[in-house]
Amino acid sequence: MSAFFSEARKCLPRAAGIAALVWATASLAQEMATPAPESVSTVAEIVVTGSRIPRPDQTGVSPLTQVVGADIRAQGAMRIEDVLNQLPQVYVDQNSTVTNGATGTATVNLRDLGPERTLVLIDGKRLMPGDPTSGSVAPDLNFIPDALVERIDVVTGGQSAIYGSDAIAGVVNFIMKRNFSGLQMDAQAGIYDHDNGQTGIQAVLAAQGLAEAPKTVTDGFTREITVVAGINAPNGKGNLTVYGGYRAAAAITEASRDFSACGLVAYGANLFCQGSTSSPALGRFEVFDQTNNFNQVGDLTLDPTGPGNTLRPFDPERDGYNFAPTEYFQRPDKRYTAGAFAHYEILPSVDLYVDGMFMYDDTTAELAPSGLFLQPFTIACSNPMLSAAEVQSFCTDANVPPGGDTLLQIGRRDVEAGGRQFLLTHTDYRVVAGARGNVGVWNYDISAQVSAVDLSQTALRDVSLSHVADALNVVRGPSGALVCASGNPGCAPYDIFAIGGVTPAALAYIETPGIATGGTDEAVVSANVNGELGRYGVKSPWATSGVGVALGAEYRREGLSYSPNVELASGDLSSFGAATPPVKGHFDVYEIYGEARAPLAQDRSPLLDDLTIDGSVRYSWYSSIGGAATYKAGLEWAPTPDLRLRASYSRAVRAPNVVELFTPQTLGIGLGHDPCAGANPIGGPDPDPFATEANCARTGVTAAQYGHIAPSDGGYNSLEGGNPDLRPEVATTETL
């Protein structure tokens, strides 16, 4: 994606479309003076999620779970993902409680296969891809106006033959209220009231002199108001429904709960509040011998009890950092939603409809302070910030030649600066227009939709590694004061080698914001027809219903763009660990599909109340990967009305998304474990029976290095990025 103003130009056609929608619906509203009296009608057949063929009941070969509007209201939930997360087939993913790695979105993850493998629909049509910084690009459930949800259909198992790519784990279909009449206002608010009573953790906090959580706390105030208004055409042929909503949530920090105020770790039988070995204030310095394969010869920290700037061995039991208290349990968040649904029957067989939906969401994630996470720096042994004791430990003990430079891996949390903050905003648009109706036994639906997600990210209080290297390269100026050797404007010595040596001026220089803009866009044109062929005699002699069929075709285009500033793009920010280069790309897909449902026997006794087979097939051609085919077959047998047995077999696919295809490959810190690290890889604190010297030698570890590789606090290098040669994922689902 390009910068925000470039995106704004692309949004002008969308704005024009929304303006046309407003004008058209306003004109329609002028004709709707009074609501038509409601008439009682019987719906003979409905469309059940997991099939495009209407049927007289809500049974189908795919396992279906429904959450109706009354259930949503009964829970009092102000976030639709909180409703879904109560279901046993749904695993918690991105939501309001995620802060480390937050995208600011809410996603649904069926069967814990990843949100990218769950397809989300609104009334059977795709919800657009979400945040471009997420590898899944999963749709954002914040976009769904919960007050307009009539029901939620959840179908598990491969559904790619019915709905297309991404439906490997299943489908979540939000069915919206379409013919609302009147005015409805919903307002609700909630708070969390908590008593802290984890005495064991309180004792650990007290033993380390750390702040304890208050005895009782009331926080996290959240409120929401939604207004829905609808009016029917006087002749009963149309409806206009509009909505608007506002939701705001206050932050909850982990410091407010005793069980989260402590990043609990164990050393033997002792418990400590830590979570990070990048020490605050005192720092951590790993020293490497420059004449012996850079084996580690020291793991040191500043000694607050010694004279001057002296060192002692780093002790993970007492020198680690408790990162938990500053992080958010619940992110502060504001969301605005608005939209309109309108339809009008211009002919008995033609019902025109148009939807316009909008959302703006603004949230902040906060983490523990940034700093250096055991990252390597070259320090001159003549650096005037070093004391004689530090020169001895960093240079002499490391066999650095006179006048040379030493290599240190430095871990230090800049607690003086406060927590890192990530400001995340999303602006989402979606417009759908189409026509539907029936001609004889055939029902049709032709539609086009365009949608977009615009993103803005700002990372505050993070640390520029290049600025740190500049601020560590210090000499004495003409007046004898410490100055940066580079003379760069604003540079101030970053004196981490003395207790209390870090100044506000140094923090102001090394802290650099990471800023990125971007987004995703999607366009879909689709047409489908379905009908029951009993009128043409296509029916089993033992069944009351004819064979049902559905046929359709679809074109879809998905695109993504991401534009980071130079600090993010180059990997210069300490917390990110890897370069996040700009991304831009799109793909097109053309699809045809068909489905058939054949009742073999119905209302036959004994043991044949219903016996039905169904099947579906879809062929897709992607501009990025070529062709892919999916299919599904199923059998339903109800020996009695009270007992139904179902079996199905499906072959589903997921095409690589735009992030997986087009992200440039970069070297980053993405691997969290090295089995060959530590003094005793086989039997140490993180044992691995396969980490023998012989096996580690196969990865390039020499005999001299084995047993002397320092475990990494921040991860290990990995090659990360997309691959335009990716092939589709293929999944087989068998359900009984």
Side-chain angles (χ1 to χ4, degrees), residues 328-345:
Y328 283 152
F329 237 155
Q330 174 176 280
R331 298 191 315 273
D333 175 84
K334 290 183 180 179
R335 183 193 70 163
Y336 302 85
T337 57
F341 305 145
H343 74 92
Y344 193 80
E345 184 182 293

Side-chain angles (χ1 to χ4, degrees), residues 43-62 64-66 121-125 150-155 159 162-163 171 173-176 436-437 441-445 528-532 549-550 593 595 597:
V43 179
E45 294 182 333
I46 63 173
V47 175
V48 176
T49 302
S51 171
R52 295 182 183 270
I53 301 173
R55 59 197 66 202
D57 51 30
Q58 294 190 21
T59 64
V61 70
S62 298
L64 174 68
T65 299
Q66 285 191 339
L121 310 172
I122 298 179
D123 289 317
K125 295 179 172 59
E150 182 174 294
R151 74 174 195 270
I152 307 171
D153 291 351
V154 180
V155 178
Q159 301 292 326
I162 305 295
Y163 296 108
V171 172
N173 191 6
F174 292 89
I175 309 300
M176 312 303 289
R436 60 193 167 214
V441 300
W442 297 100
N443 306 305
Y444 70 89
D445 189 343
N528 65 79
V529 298
N530 64 72
E532 198 262 287
V549 297
Y593 55 87
E595 180 185 1
R597 180 176 184 269

Side-chain angles (χ1 to χ4, degrees), residues 716-736:
Y716 298 88
N717 288 342
S718 62
L719 186 64
E720 304 173 359
N723 182 355
D725 296 324
L726 286 174
R727 304 301 301 164
E729 292 182 356
V730 179
T732 299
T733 302
E734 300 169 347
T735 303
L736 178 63

Side-chain angles (χ1 to χ4, degrees), residues 405-418:
D405 300 333
T406 187
L407 176 66
L408 299 178
Q409 282 197 156
I410 303 174
R412 187 190 192 277
R413 293 278 187 162
D414 290 331
V415 291
E416 303 89 346

Side-chain angles (χ1 to χ4, degrees), residues 562 564-573 576-582 663-669 718 720-721:
Y562 176 72
N565 66 354
V566 64
E567 286 78 14
L568 282 173
S570 63
D572 186 47
L573 294 184
F576 286 82
T580 54
T663 303
Q665 294 185 353
T666 58
L667 189 66
I669 303 176
S718 62
E720 304 173 359

Side-chain angles (χ1 to χ4, degrees), residues 166-196:
D166 305 336
I168 282 180
V171 172
V172 177
N173 191 6
F174 292 89
I175 309 300
M176 312 303 289
K177 298 175 183 177
R178 288 287 171 177
N179 289 287
F180 184 85
S181 179
L183 177 67
Q184 175 181 308
M185 295 184 64
D186 291 303
Q188 57 180 327
I191 58 173
Y192 293 91
D193 184 72
H194 180 74
D195 294 329
N196 285 302

